[in-house]
Amino acid sequence: MNKINKLFAENKDRKLLSLYFCAGCPKLDETGNVIKTLERRGIDMIEVGVPFSDPMADGPVIQEAATQALKNGMNLKLLFSQLKAIKDEVSIPLILMGYLNVMMKYGFEEFFKTCAECGVSGAIIPDLPFADYLELKPIADKYDIRIIMLITPETSEERIRFIDDNTDGFIYMVSSASTTGAQQSFDEAKQEYFQRINGMNLRNPRMIGFGISNKQTLESSQQNAAGAIIGSKFVQLLSEADGNADKAIDKLYEALNH
């Protein structure tokens, strides 16, 4: 059973927490250590960012991390070798988050095959058009890799139901139509969006991401979905801690209690 499906099946009564960090930032060779530390510290699922020169869905914090990672020499081939080295030491689901161009260059079949060999359970490709997703899905399925699709407040009900019918794993519910970045609170419009999606009784579990950085945004996400995904806030804390994931997670847990 795919680890993503297993995680949600076994935790229906508990809210999940997933973290994103960019591979190769702030240090090139710390990917494995960060992942192992986050699992040890109670994180349920990890999104590992594949750095790209034009990350259009990302705000300044993650863009800066991607730029630093590329300067450090990170690339997809190196990332796969780092993940393969820790494959047998990690039991939580790992998801690669990266842009279409990087995966296309690597070769889609080779990409999904290598994901499976390196213990990766899923992929998030923010700029993947849905029609292309439907073409890639059989290749991903062949290697038991889940492609996770995103929805935003602007996504129509018809499209959301179509995504729900044609995906497996979870749906990434973007809190706003803007780029990633920490927010202090979720306004009334976002709350209405969360409640509207809640009322659709979708088949797939949902995780809410973009903007979660404190107790208010975390609790709001957890009330309206299976859990929350934190990216920019953790990336910032990891950089401030010079790659020390234990220090960064201490600071994150502190922020999430205020």
Side-chain angles (χ1 to χ4, degrees), residues 20 47-53 75-77 79-80 83 95-115 120 122-129 133 136 139-140 145-150:
Y20 165 96
E47 289 174 23
V48 183
V50 182
F52 180 53
S53 54
N75 57 51
L76 188 54
K77 190 177 178 185
L79 174 56
F80 275 136
L83 294 175
I95 297 171
L96 288 192
M97 185 165 186
Y99 289 83
L100 191 58
N101 196 36
V102 178
M103 293 163 194
M104 197 184 293
K105 207 169 165 185
Y106 197 84
F108 291 122
E109 177 104 22
E110 192 60 26
F111 172 76
F112 292 119
K113 178 173 178 277
T114 313
C115 278
V120 172
I124 298 171
I125 311 168
D127 56 341
L128 177 67
Y133 159 76
L136 283 185
I139 307 171
I145 304 296
R146 303 287 173 264
I147 302 178
I148 307 303
M149 298 301 290
L150 290 78

Side-chain angles (χ1 to χ4, degrees), residues 17-245:
L17 182 59
S18 177
L19 293 191
Y20 165 96
F21 76 98
C22 182
C25 178
K27 294 179 176 175
L28 182 63
D29 299 321
E30 287 295 303
T31 306
N33 286 336
V34 172
I35 290 169
K36 289 188 286 183
T37 302
L38 295 185
E39 176 168 17
R40 176 170 52 78
R41 296 296 301 273
I43 299 305
D44 298 298
M45 182 163 62
I46 300 171
E47 289 174 23
V48 183
V50 182
F52 180 53
S53 54
D54 185 25
M56 62 186 196
D58 295 309
V61 170
I62 293 178
Q63 281 190 21
E64 198 176 303
T67 301
Q68 184 60 52
L70 291 170
K71 277 184 190 164
N72 288 349
M74 180 52 72
N75 57 51
L76 188 54
K77 190 177 178 185
L78 175 58
L79 174 56
F80 275 136
S81 72
Q82 292 179 347
L83 294 175
K84 198 165 193 176
I86 59 159
K87 181 187 174 188
D88 298 332
E89 301 171 66
V90 178
S91 59
I92 62 174
L94 300 180
I95 297 171
L96 288 192
M97 185 165 186
Y99 289 83
L100 191 58
N101 196 36
V102 178
M103 293 163 194
M104 197 184 293
K105 207 169 165 185
Y106 197 84
F108 291 122
E109 177 104 22
E110 192 60 26
F111 172 76
F112 292 119
K113 178 173 178 277
T114 313
C115 278
E117 290 168 354
C118 297
V120 172
S121 301
I124 298 171
I125 311 168
D127 56 341
L128 177 67
F130 201 74
D132 292 355
Y133 159 76
L134 292 173
E135 286 183 25
L136 283 185
K137 187 176 183 296
I139 307 171
D141 286 349
K142 179 173 156 187
Y143 297 102
D144 198 29
I145 304 296
R146 303 287 173 264
I147 302 178
I148 307 303
M149 298 301 290
L150 290 78
I151 63 170
T152 75
E154 273 68 50
T155 310
S156 69
E157 181 170 334
E158 182 187 15
R159 172 51 65 97
I160 291 168
R161 293 209 181 277
F162 192 59
I163 288 171
D164 191 43
D165 288 343
N166 289 279
T167 59
D168 182 26
F170 69 95
I171 290 173
Y172 191 133
M173 199 169 150
V174 175
S175 68
S176 70
S178 62
T179 57
T180 57
Q183 295 172 35
Q184 289 307 302
S185 63
F186 287 146
D187 61 23
E188 205 174 308
K190 288 190 180 73
Q191 300 286 355
E192 283 173 9
Y193 159 58
F194 296 160
Q195 286 156 20
R196 174 170 61 87
I197 305 302
N198 254 342
M200 290 178 68
N201 296 315
L202 299 177
R203 183 178 60 86
N204 279 292
R206 287 158 289 117
M207 295 285 283
I208 295 178
F210 285 43
I212 298 162
S213 64
N214 57 21
K215 191 175 184 179
Q216 196 275 350
T217 47
L218 176 69
E219 286 180 351
S220 179
S221 302
Q222 290 181 329
Q223 282 163 12
N224 290 286
I229 299 166
I230 298 177
S232 296
K233 182 72 175 177
F234 182 68
V235 169
Q236 178 194 335
L237 293 171
L238 191 61
S239 285
E240 287 171 1
D242 196 29
N244 185 319

